Amino acid sequence: MNWITIAILGYMLLAVESVISKYLLVGRIKGWRLYAFYVGILSLFTIVLSPFGLEHDGLMPIVITYLSGIIFYISLCFLFNALLHSSADRVYILQGASTTLLTLVLSALFLNEGINQLRAIAILFLVLGGLFIAYRFHHKTFFKGWHKILIAAILGSVSLIMLKYSYGGQNFVAGYVFNRIGIFSGAVLSLALPSFRKDIVGSWRKKSVGHNTLNVVGTIIAKTIAGSGMVLTNYAIYLGSVAIVSSLVSVQYLFTFLFVFILSFHSRKIFHQHFSWKNILLKITGILLVILGTVFVFL
């Protein structure tokens, strides 16, 4: 199994997690700070991978990886903030397209990753496909909170580049574990902010133990799926090109769109969609562009 196939499998799992996250945020937890905190705290469980070997060349790779995790946690906060108020497919699609472009530029500047003609065409198709799905043509604008997604994409791209760079001085297990420890630290540090502390502590005071326990269990299920997807995508980054792995995020929002489209018939309040022939046609066009982009990546 090559690194491109590994990345695609990882993004399919992340698509499933994105739908579950939308349900938890809107249907149960109803607070992006609390959900981000849960996600960050649960990241610590990746230390179970430590026995497989934490090989590294000194302190610097660990520090870079750790900081990339903290930056990634901040990126998640902006992502979940937007996800609470907008449809899952639009949020993840715009975030994926923006991250692809930024990672491509940053990897060329700082990692000297060359992009040949076929890969450039692939990335173009993937990004265009994402924009077709994300743009609200009936309102002639992106969805509400799009600027938060751009911030999330910038921070996420920086985190990816730092992670890829740090892999030059450590093995995959060390990079992944210390990155997750950084995410955990970001969650702990967020308690220093009054708004975070109020939402997190207040939730456990106001709601029943059973309700909070179900929320935690749901988050564990979502993050177990996400963790499996992240292991696969991070391993693909370790083996191959960070720019190409990042561009394959289009596979994630292709499946996210399909899942949300199906679920919108059963839970309109959570997975709300604007149904019109023009809207569906434009999204289908976006899906076809994503498929073409994926084919070019394989070529």
Side-chain angles (χ1 to χ4, degrees), residues 11-26:
Y11 283 125
M12 287 177 64
L13 290 176
L14 290 173
V16 175
E17 181 272 335
S18 67
V19 174
I20 297 175
S21 292
K22 176 65 176 181
Y23 169 75
L24 290 172
L25 270 171
V26 178

Side-chain angles (χ1 to χ4, degrees), residues 94-116:
L94 182 58
Q95 189 255 357
S98 302
T99 301
T100 295
L101 283 175
L102 293 167
T103 304
L104 174 63
V105 173
L106 293 176
S107 63
L109 290 174
F110 298 105
L111 300 179
N112 296 318
E113 287 195 359
I115 302 296
N116 60 33

Side-chain angles (χ1 to χ4, degrees), residues 21-39 73 76-77 80-85 195-196 199-200 203 207 211 215 219:
S21 292
K22 176 65 176 181
Y23 169 75
L24 290 172
L25 270 171
V26 178
R28 291 197 58 85
I29 297 176
K30 301 178 181 179
W32 63 269
R33 294 181 181 87
L34 180 60
Y35 188 61
F37 180 76
Y38 283 159
V39 171
Y73 175 76
L76 287 178
C77 289
F80 294 148
N81 190 344
L83 185 60
L84 183 62
H85 304 289
S195 58
F196 271 81
D199 280 7
I200 294 166
S203 174
K207 297 177 181 178
H211 186 277
N215 289 342
T219 306

Side-chain angles (χ1 to χ4, degrees), residues 50-61:
S50 299
F52 293 98
L54 298 177
E55 300 174 7
H56 54 85
D57 299 328
L59 183 62
M60 187 55 66

Side-chain angles (χ1 to χ4, degrees), residues 200-220:
I200 294 166
V201 176
S203 174
W204 283 89
R205 287 177 177 173
K206 295 177 182 178
K207 297 177 181 178
S208 67
V209 175
H211 186 277
N212 285 312
T213 301
L214 285 175
N215 289 342
V216 172
V217 171
T219 306
I220 290 174

Side-chain angles (χ1 to χ4, degrees), residues 12 44 82 85 109 111 115 123 147 224 228 253 276:
M12 287 177 64
L44 186 63
H85 304 289
L109 290 174
L111 300 179
I115 302 296
I123 291 173
H147 56 287
T224 299
S228 300
Y253 49 73
S276 70

Side-chain angles (χ1 to χ4, degrees), residues 47-54 173:
I47 60 175
V48 299
L49 297 175
S50 299
F52 293 98
L54 298 177
V173 174

Side-chain angles (χ1 to χ4, degrees), residues 35 38 168 225 248 265:
Y35 188 61
Y38 283 159
I225 296 173
L248 284 171
F265 291 99

